[in-house]
Amino acid sequence: MLSRSFHSIFIISLAVLTAGAVCAFADVQSADVFEFKAPTQAGEDAASGVRAALEQCRSKGIHRLAFAPGRYDFWPDRAQEKYLFVSNNDEGLKRIAFPLTGFEGMEIDGRGASFVFHGYIVPFLVENSRNVAIKNLSIDFARTFHSEGKVLAVTPDSVDLEISEEFPYAIRQGILIFTDGKNPLGPQTTVKSGEVLYPFGNLLAFDPVRRETAYMAKDRYGVQEGLTAREIGPRQVRLNLPKASTEPGNILVFGAAHRDIPGFIVSDSAKTLLENISIYHCGGMGVIAQRSSDIDLEKVRVTPAPGGRRIVSVTADATHFVNCTGKITLRGCLFENQKDDATNIHGLYARIVKIVAPDKMEVRMVHPQQFGLDFIRPGTRLEIVDGPSLENRGETVARTVERINKEITLVTTAAPLPVTVKEGNAVANADANTAEVLIENCVIRNNRARGILLGSRGKVTVVGNTFHTPGAAIMFEGDARFWFEQAGVRDVTIRDNTFDNCNFGVWGKACIEVASGIEKPCQKTSRYNHNITIENNLFRVFGPRGVLSIYSVDGVKFRNNRLERTHAYPPQREPAGDLCRAVDSDHIAIELPTEVSGVAEKAKGGFEKK
Amino acid sequence: MLSRSFHSIFIISLAVLTAGAVCAFADVQSADVFEFKAPTQAGEDAASGVRAALEQCRSKGIHRLAFAPGRYDFWPDRAQEKYLFVSNNDEGLKRIAFPLTGFEGMEIDGRGASFVFHGYIVPFLVENSRNVAIKNLSIDFARTFHSEGKVLAVTPDSVDLEISEEFPYAIRQGILIFTDGKNPLGPQTTVKSGEVLYPFGNLLAFDPVRRETAYMAKDRYGVQEGLTAREIGPRQVRLNLPKASTEPGNILVFGAAHRDIPGFIVSDSAKTLLENISIYHCGGMGVIAQRSSDIDLEKVRVTPAPGGRRIVSVTADATHFVNCTGKITLRGCLFENQKDDATNIHGLYARIVKIVAPDKMEVRMVHPQQFGLDFIRPGTRLEIVDGPSLENRGETVARTVERINKEITLVTTAAPLPVTVKEGNAVANADANTAEVLIENCVIRNNRARGILLGSRGKVTVVGNTFHTPGAAIMFEGDARFWFEQAGVRDVTIRDNTFDNCNFGVWGKACIEVASGIEKPCQKTSRYNHNITIENNLFRVFGPRGVLSIYSVDGVKFRNNRLERTHAYPPQREPAGDLCRAVDSDHIAIELPTEVSGVAEKAKGGFEKK
């Protein structure tokens, strides 16, 4: 439906173009299209032009902004800014190249243009808008928010790295920092320097031959305050890093400390289409949508920039959907080499810190990357769960809402809270996170951690995809203890997918896994996820981990699936688990998969290594 | 005038109190006063109560909020928040304990209460208000934004420190960090931890016997990315710090990396009174006023918390006034041991980056700590100066103003810009920074750097003060190259002050000094400061530095001053300069000071060491 509504706009503008009636490469406006001028010289800042073009479109009712093919560069200097709370990314006052706020019907057509960003500038914000489409373009950053180094040697105490020009660095007072390669501005004083830095907060090794996370490599945390190092050669550094989870030949990735600069932020909007877009890099999630309805991603590719100089694409999840409704579609997409999951579709929990009166509670966002993500308004229907068990404790309706700050909100309710509700319980918007989800014909591979995290309460269909993820390919999470992500599916179908040698890393127990944050003793009775059907899939499995591992589910059908044993990776040391493991669950119908040989399947186009 | 207008309110409430008609220590409201309830138990968070009390005062037209004597604690959790641009401090989304926004006539009377703040929370914001008075209270922080360590030993490569419990720290991966002493929250993941840290950006040694900056100690910069260290004993640390400017017995101060939490922010307000207030600590300037008129500080004391556990009071300037008008009064104040100057009264320059059209310019704030400090509105009269010389290049009047972001503003002018105006020139609001200034009977001592920086265009009187500063006691700065602070006085009288052994540090050449950022070749012709009279002062001088060092001034009278030679500090190695040096200036009348002996003067109450 979304693509249909944009179709007519596209037809009109095509007609305009083929008629030759517009000067294609100048700022020309017609009633239908604003043609953005191609840069007259390399390194021109397109930010002011885009800002002005969008204002023209808005004021003159033009619904299409089209670019001439070519490269456009954007710096933060002259871009609009706004303080943004972006779920599961980092809040802040951000510069925005395309501030699409308050638009009704707007199409940005890159016509194959490449947009290159320099520094701390968010490429696209779609906010309080309706019917926005963005298509046919790529985004990349001149300097990445993460950094990479080739591992030359590893000792029990150190790692030697070669760091390419792509990732400028310095060693100051014996501490390794990553920079933009420019000299710090001006003399040093008591006040901040204005130098642009690229801090890191974690480490992870990648395998440059397979171009994926290194076999069984572990995340290294606790490095956000820095690491000591010294130069041992030209662009060669010895890092003091005991017991590093890497080996010579790996690429060690310095994960960005913050998620300040997502690629596409969709917030409080309806009917958003992203089509034929390559996201080579950004400093946060590729696409993050929150409190929005109907988001359609068609042929969106999250992948490292061409040329092979980088192993990592974006620095966090490829996509992420929070408290979304309507329909979420991911179709024909490629999500690879990003520093976190391919997608995670969930709601938000806040904690009831204090029951102030029978009809009044103080509610607190707990996870710092959810601060400011207000989800309660007067009239919002609220569901309340017990934190440890995620079991339902009742419902209520908000009457008045007083936001104290980005963490704390005071809520009065239409009626006294149910007696079952206690301080420490968690509250979610009962009518958000209800999107119907279709994930179809996507390829998800080589990224850190898991494939797709399913938590929407709407009907979820996962069909025809190929997964090659180091953790679980499909995971059911949700908790009210740490991440405070509301999940708990109601109706999921996983069909006709290929799970191609997943679980070559440390982030999962099986291809399809429940990992909801239900405390162990509560798992017996809690039934957080419901009605999951898994059929006609091919599981290519090399090791001891299973294809299914679940608990606290009501309703699983696992049938007509095939299993192919492979030798894609070295044998793992851990003992073989159950192929299909289901505990503390009801209404479980599992048929063990049929074992098949690999030849025929490969011909059908299974996952192939680059 | 200010104190008069509050006087009547005070009388009324005194009457209420003496009549015994109110329950003094409960939340009781009368038409005149809101009596804030004393905390019922130690460690109670007063933030919600204050927020509610202020709302009550606002909605019910109560103009006085009074506290019972005692201790009140404030945490950021339930405080109001706002994104604030604060000149010469760091911008950000800040929690505020007393958000005095939009008040007309309001008095906060602490009645001697001590307010103790925990973490990142700004004590007082006075914004868009008129006739606000705050009095009779102290502010302090449970954990300081800077840290201190006692120097045990110094080698060419290292410094050994003992760090008291007052300043929690940790060594992680060999890097010293300062913390709030609490355990980091939860498991480590790819996202930020929520741990509260106290980063440092510079180092400076203090002398704990004299309780001032160590003799000739130098600032150490370039440490903002951290320092490596290892534990050498209980709360003892060996810091890898080559060529440290300190010696055993000193206190080494780790200067706060940011100025996030000033004590009192006064912005866009008229008639503000701060009276009988002790500022023991804050993470920024003690009092920063911007774009405001009529600010009166009576008996404000910036001083380290009693008990002697800390050597530093606030982490930046004691006070600071930017683009202020009307009258600024500092009377009977004590400014000591703060990490920067006692005051700096100046305007703002922005750079003309681009002349877009004869009547249109793109203007940019250059100094990061001035970003967002918009000072041009339609109708604002603008003065334009040449950056290197600070010579006038003409005037103009803003017609339209389009703010692009916190750095860039587009300004059209009522008439074409004067032909003398070029790109690279600097622009200031010609009618801001015009406050009359009275600095009277203050004691200014032992802090880093200078005493008072005078840049207001209004009549400035400095009378009856005692200075004991390691740099210049009185300085005339201003530049359009680095700090972008507009100055250039018009009428200054410095009378009856004692300059008591100033210049025992590295931040000045003389007791009274011009240090405007005029490039050397331009100093010959530029006359940036005007009409400075210096009379009847006592200069107690121990070393080779002079009492006056000026350039590019038009009009100096230096007369009837006395000079006493002392041996307060070891002799300095540098050659003796001129006692009074004036170059590249016009209308200079200098009488050398009369040499006197010290005995009689000391009896008159000169500076005494603690």
Side-chain angles (χ1 to χ4, degrees):
Chain A
M1 199 170 72
L2 241 186
S3 48
R4 265 205 304 279
S5 68
F6 286 108
H7 196 231
S8 57
I9 298 174
F10 193 56
I11 292 296
I12 291 167
S13 52
L14 260 187
V16 170
L17 278 173
T18 50
V22 295
C23 170
F25 304 141
D27 273 0
V28 171
Q29 310 146 32
S30 74
D32 303 314
V33 61
F34 187 108
E35 300 272 349
F36 194 84
K37 192 170 65 178
T40 53
Q41 57 191 43
E44 207 175 288
D45 185 358
S48 292
V50 163
R51 213 184 60 235
L54 289 175
E55 280 317 306
Q56 289 269 317
C57 290
R58 188 198 302 273
S59 63
K60 297 191 173 159
I62 301 168
H63 293 282
R64 188 160 179 263
L65 172 59
F67 286 77
R71 168 173 166 152
Y72 298 79
D73 289 88
F74 296 84
W75 277 263
D77 305 58
R78 288 168 179 81
Q80 197 178 303
E81 73 189 355
K82 187 165 188 184
Y83 200 96
L84 299 177
F85 294 103
V86 187
S87 191
N88 298 80
N89 289 263
D90 286 315
E91 63 179 286
L93 186 67
K94 299 178 195 295
R95 302 290 165 92
I96 304 144
F98 285 81
L100 296 160
T101 300
F103 278 88
E104 278 269 343
M106 185 69 203
E107 182 180 309
I108 311 293
D109 186 352
R111 289 203 197 106
S114 61
F115 292 167
V116 179
F117 300 86
H118 300 256
Y120 285 70
I121 175 170
V122 172
F124 285 87
L125 169 67
V126 179
E127 187 190 42
N128 296 313
S129 290
R130 199 178 168 81
N131 271 323
V132 167
I134 303 167
K135 49 174 69 168
N136 307 320
L137 54 87
S138 70
I139 68 168
D140 196 10
F141 282 75
R143 203 281 181 228
T144 55
F145 291 89
H146 75 284
S147 298
E148 304 178 5
K150 186 180 161 193
V151 178
L152 304 176
V154 181
T155 77
D157 297 314
S158 68
V159 176
D160 292 351
L161 294 174
E162 188 168 74
I163 301 173
S164 81
E165 304 276 349
E166 186 96 357
F167 309 101
Y169 72 91
I171 296 178
R172 294 202 190 139
Q173 315 291 343
I175 297 169
L176 176 68
I177 60 167
F178 289 98
T179 74
D180 65 356
K182 292 176 190 136
N183 284 328
L185 312 168
Q188 291 203 312
T189 69
T190 47
V191 301
K192 65 182 175 187
S193 69
E195 188 181 9
V196 177
L197 297 178
Y198 292 86
F200 60 91
N202 52 72
L203 302 173
L204 182 62
F206 278 68
D207 178 332
V209 178
R210 291 177 181 264
R211 291 191 65 77
E212 61 190 26
T213 60
Y215 181 62
M216 295 298 155
K218 292 191 193 90
D219 289 300
R220 178 62 163 262
Y221 298 122
V223 299
Q224 66 274 16
E225 270 70 66
L227 284 173
T228 59
R230 64 185 175 90
E231 301 273 2
I232 53 168
R235 297 199 70 85
Q236 293 185 349
V237 159
R238 178 160 299 160
L239 205 57
N240 296 313
L241 186 70
K243 298 180 190 163
S245 177
T246 186
E247 58 188 52
N250 282 174
I251 302 291
L252 191 65
V253 172
F254 294 79
H258 309 292
R259 296 172 170 185
D260 285 326
I261 307 293
F264 294 78
I265 303 170
V266 179
S267 189
D268 304 285
S269 292
K271 295 189 188 295
T272 305
L273 169 68
L274 305 183
E275 187 177 344
N276 191 28
I277 288 173
S278 294
I279 305 176
Y280 296 131
H281 183 72
C282 62
M285 292 176 176
V287 178
I288 164 69
Q290 59 192 18
R291 287 180 311 219
S292 293
S293 62
D294 297 309
I295 304 127
D296 191 358
L297 274 64
E298 305 279 345
K299 298 198 192 76
V300 169
R301 293 168 298 276
V302 171
T303 180
R309 292 161 306 154
R310 304 180 199 150
I311 194 92
V312 162
S313 56
V314 310
T315 67
D317 307 37
T319 71
H320 209 100
F321 301 86
V322 178
N323 270 10
C324 288
T325 55
K327 183 165 184 181
I328 295 168
T329 306
L330 310 177
R331 189 154 34 197
C333 295
L334 170 65
F335 302 128
E336 64 178 0
N337 293 70
Q338 69 275 2
K339 264 303 285 328
D340 219 331
D341 313 319
T343 199
N344 184 348
I345 304 170
H346 64 86
L348 295 172
Y349 284 124
R351 181 180 279 157
I352 300 173
V353 180
K354 211 166 166 180
I355 296 178
V356 183
D359 65 344
K360 187 172 185 179
M361 56 185 171
E362 184 186 271
V363 152
R364 174 179 218 140
M365 306 300 286
V366 182
H367 195 273
Q369 288 177 322
Q370 294 168 357
F371 288 174
L373 269 292
D374 310 329
F375 63 82
I376 311 179
R377 293 181 180 184
T380 299
R381 204 163 59 88
L382 300 172
E383 87 180 28
I384 296 166
V385 299
D386 173 56
S389 70
L390 295 176
E391 284 173 340
N392 198 23
R393 287 292 178 263
E395 290 208 348
T396 185
V397 174
R399 187 167 60 81
T400 68
V401 179
E402 184 190 358
R403 184 191 197 269
I404 305 302
N405 54 41
K406 65 185 178 184
E407 290 175 66
I408 300 258
T409 300
L410 291 173
V411 180
T412 64
T413 50
L417 289 164
V419 289
T420 44
V421 172
K422 305 276 178 250
E423 291 180 357
N425 285 173
V427 59
N429 179 335
D431 297 308
N433 187 32
T434 59
E436 184 185 340
V437 175
L438 174 63
I439 300 176
E440 187 176 10
N441 295 336
C442 296
V443 174
I444 289 168
R445 63 187 179 191
N446 308 347
N447 57 293
R448 177 190 177 277
R450 292 78 52 98
I452 59 179
L453 276 68
L454 302 177
S456 180
R457 301 287 175 87
K459 180 179 168 58
V460 177
T461 308
V462 178
V463 58
N465 306 284
T466 301
F467 298 91
H468 174 63
T469 51
I474 299 177
M475 197 173 254
F476 300 89
E477 276 203 346
D479 75 79
R481 300 184 306 178
F482 184 74
W483 295 105
F484 284 82
E485 296 178 358
Q486 182 228 37
V489 294
R490 296 291 179 262
D491 178 358
V492 175
T493 302
I494 298 168
R495 197 177 58 227
D496 295 333
N497 302 284
T498 299
F499 296 86
D500 191 347
N501 292 298
C502 296
N503 294 112
F504 59 90
V506 299
W507 302 279
K509 291 183 183 155
C511 296
I512 300 173
E513 184 182 350
V514 167
S516 302
I518 303 165
E519 283 186 12
K520 198 74 192 166
C522 309
Q523 291 179 6
K524 254 197 170 26
T525 52
S526 182
R527 295 293 174 266
Y528 193 55
N529 289 290
H530 303 260
N531 301 326
I532 302 170
T533 299
I534 302 160
E535 60 189 7
N536 296 330
N537 300 284
L538 170 64
F539 294 92
R540 305 182 74 216
V541 172
F542 71 92
R545 297 190 197 163
V547 299
L548 183 71
S549 172
I550 64 165
Y551 56 85
S552 302
V553 181
D554 183 356
V556 170
K557 294 193 184 92
F558 187 92
R559 61 192 177 197
N560 295 329
N561 296 293
R562 287 153 301 150
L563 177 77
E564 182 195 334
R565 300 278 180 186
T566 79
H567 301 279
Y569 292 90
Q572 282 165 283
R573 261 177 262 165
E574 66 194 53
D578 297 331
L579 197 59
C580 295
R581 175 179 162 83
V583 296
D584 296 334
S585 297
D586 300 322
H587 307 107
I588 304 299
I590 294 178
E591 301 168 9
L592 282 181
T594 316
E595 298 234 4
V596 297
S597 75
V599 184
E601 296 310 321
K602 275 196 173 151
K604 279 180 69 181
F607 167 77
E608 296 297 327
K609 288 270 153 34
K610 282 186 195 173
Chain B
M1 201 167 71
L2 242 183
S3 47
R4 266 204 303 280
S5 69
F6 285 108
H7 196 230
S8 56
I9 296 173
F10 194 58
I11 293 296
I12 291 167
S13 52
L14 259 188
V16 170
L17 278 173
T18 49
V22 296
C23 171
F25 303 142
D27 274 0
V28 171
Q29 310 144 34
S30 74
D32 303 311
V33 59
F34 187 109
E35 301 272 349
F36 194 84
K37 191 171 64 180
T40 51
Q41 57 192 44
E44 205 176 289
D45 185 357
S48 292
V50 163
R51 214 184 60 235
L54 288 175
E55 280 317 307
Q56 289 270 317
C57 290
R58 189 199 301 275
S59 63
K60 298 192 172 157
I62 301 167
H63 293 281
R64 188 160 177 264
L65 171 60
F67 287 77
R71 168 173 165 152
Y72 299 79
D73 289 87
F74 295 84
W75 278 262
D77 305 57
R78 286 165 181 83
Q80 196 176 304
E81 73 188 353
K82 187 166 188 185
Y83 200 95
L84 298 178
F85 294 104
V86 187
S87 192
N88 297 78
N89 288 265
D90 287 314
E91 61 179 288
L93 185 68
K94 300 181 195 297
R95 301 289 164 93
I96 304 144
F98 286 81
L100 296 160
T101 300
F103 277 88
E104 279 267 343
M106 184 69 205
E107 182 180 307
I108 311 293
D109 186 351
R111 290 203 196 110
S114 61
F115 292 168
V116 179
F117 300 86
H118 300 256
Y120 285 70
I121 174 169
V122 171
F124 285 87
L125 169 68
V126 179
E127 188 191 41
N128 295 312
S129 289
R130 200 177 168 82
N131 273 323
V132 167
I134 303 166
K135 49 175 69 168
N136 307 323
L137 52 89
S138 69
I139 68 167
D140 196 9
F141 282 76
R143 202 282 180 227
T144 56
F145 292 91
H146 74 285
S147 298
E148 303 178 6
K150 185 179 162 194
V151 178
L152 304 175
V154 180
T155 77
D157 297 315
S158 68
V159 176
D160 292 350
L161 294 174
E162 189 168 74
I163 302 173
S164 80
E165 305 275 350
E166 185 97 357
F167 309 102
Y169 71 92
I171 296 177
R172 295 206 188 137
Q173 316 288 341
I175 296 169
L176 176 68
I177 60 168
F178 289 98
T179 74
D180 64 357
K182 294 178 188 134
N183 284 328
L185 314 168
Q188 292 203 311
T189 69
T190 49
V191 303
K192 64 184 176 187
S193 69
E195 187 180 9
V196 178
L197 297 179
Y198 291 86
F200 60 92
N202 51 73
L203 302 175
L204 181 62
F206 279 67
D207 178 333
V209 178
R210 292 178 179 265
R211 291 192 66 79
E212 62 191 25
T213 61
Y215 181 61
M216 294 299 156
K218 293 191 192 90
D219 290 299
R220 178 62 162 263
Y221 298 123
V223 299
Q224 65 274 18
E225 271 70 66
L227 284 172
T228 60
R230 65 186 175 87
E231 301 274 1
I232 55 168
R235 296 201 71 85
Q236 294 185 349
V237 160
R238 178 158 299 160
L239 206 56
N240 297 312
L241 185 70
K243 298 179 191 162
S245 178
T246 188
E247 58 189 52
N250 282 174
I251 302 291
L252 192 64
V253 172
F254 295 79
H258 309 292
R259 296 172 170 185
D260 284 327
I261 307 294
F264 294 78
I265 302 170
V266 179
S267 189
D268 304 285
S269 292
K271 297 188 188 294
T272 305
L273 169 67
L274 305 183
E275 187 177 344
N276 190 27
I277 288 173
S278 293
I279 305 176
Y280 297 130
H281 183 72
C282 62
M285 292 175 175
V287 178
I288 164 70
Q290 58 192 18
R291 288 180 311 219
S292 293
S293 62
D294 297 310
I295 303 126
D296 191 358
L297 274 65
E298 307 279 347
K299 298 199 194 76
V300 170
R301 294 167 299 276
V302 172
T303 182
R309 292 161 307 154
R310 305 180 199 151
I311 193 92
V312 162
S313 57
V314 310
T315 66
D317 308 37
T319 72
H320 207 101
F321 301 86
V322 178
N323 271 7
C324 288
T325 56
K327 184 164 185 181
I328 295 167
T329 305
L330 309 178
R331 191 157 29 200
C333 295
L334 169 66
F335 301 129
E336 64 178 2
N337 293 71
Q338 70 275 3
K339 263 303 285 330
D340 218 332
D341 313 318
T343 199
N344 184 348
I345 304 170
H346 64 87
L348 295 172
Y349 285 126
R351 181 180 278 157
I352 300 174
V353 180
K354 211 167 169 181
I355 298 180
V356 184
D359 66 344
K360 186 171 186 180
M361 55 187 174
E362 185 186 273
V363 152
R364 174 179 216 142
M365 306 300 286
V366 181
H367 194 274
Q369 288 177 324
Q370 295 168 356
F371 289 174
L373 269 291
D374 310 330
F375 63 82
I376 311 178
R377 293 181 179 186
T380 300
R381 205 164 59 88
L382 301 173
E383 89 184 24
I384 296 166
V385 300
D386 173 53
S389 70
L390 294 176
E391 285 173 338
N392 197 22
R393 286 291 179 264
E395 290 206 348
T396 188
V397 174
R399 188 167 58 82
T400 67
V401 178
E402 184 191 358
R403 184 190 198 271
I404 304 302
N405 53 43
K406 66 184 177 184
E407 291 175 65
I408 301 258
T409 300
L410 290 172
V411 180
T412 65
T413 50
L417 289 164
V419 290
T420 45
V421 172
K422 306 277 179 248
E423 290 180 356
N425 286 173
V427 60
N429 179 336
D431 297 309
N433 187 32
T434 59
E436 184 185 339
V437 175
L438 173 63
I439 301 175
E440 188 177 8
N441 294 337
C442 297
V443 175
I444 290 168
R445 63 186 178 192
N446 307 349
N447 58 295
R448 177 191 177 275
R450 291 81 50 99
I452 58 179
L453 277 66
L454 302 177
S456 181
R457 300 287 175 86
K459 181 178 168 57
V460 177
T461 308
V462 178
V463 60
N465 306 286
T466 300
F467 298 91
H468 174 63
T469 51
I474 300 178
M475 197 172 254
F476 301 89
E477 275 204 345
D479 75 78
R481 301 183 307 179
F482 183 74
W483 295 105
F484 284 82
E485 295 178 359
Q486 184 228 34
V489 293
R490 296 288 179 265
D491 180 356
V492 175
T493 301
I494 298 168
R495 200 176 57 226
D496 295 333
N497 303 286
T498 300
F499 296 86
D500 191 348
N501 292 298
C502 296
N503 294 111
F504 60 89
V506 299
W507 303 277
K509 291 180 184 158
C511 294
I512 300 173
E513 183 183 351
V514 167
S516 302
I518 303 166
E519 284 188 11
K520 196 77 191 164
C522 308
Q523 292 178 5
K524 252 196 174 24
T525 52
S526 182
R527 295 294 174 266
Y528 192 56
N529 289 290
H530 303 260
N531 301 326
I532 302 171
T533 298
I534 302 159
E535 58 190 10
N536 297 330
N537 300 286
L538 169 65
F539 294 92
R540 304 183 75 215
V541 172
F542 71 93
R545 297 189 195 163
V547 300
L548 183 71
S549 171
I550 64 162
Y551 56 85
S552 303
V553 180
D554 183 355
V556 170
K557 295 193 184 91
F558 187 94
R559 59 192 180 198
N560 296 329
N561 296 295
R562 286 154 299 149
L563 178 76
E564 181 195 335
R565 298 280 180 185
T566 80
H567 301 280
Y569 293 91
Q572 283 166 284
R573 263 176 261 165
E574 66 193 54
D578 296 332
L579 197 60
C580 294
R581 176 180 160 83
V583 296
D584 298 335
S585 296
D586 300 325
H587 308 107
I588 303 298
I590 295 179
E591 299 168 9
L592 283 180
T594 315
E595 298 231 5
V596 296
S597 75
V599 182
E601 297 308 321
K602 273 196 174 155
K604 281 181 64 180
F607 167 77
E608 295 298 327
K609 287 271 154 31
K610 283 186 199 175

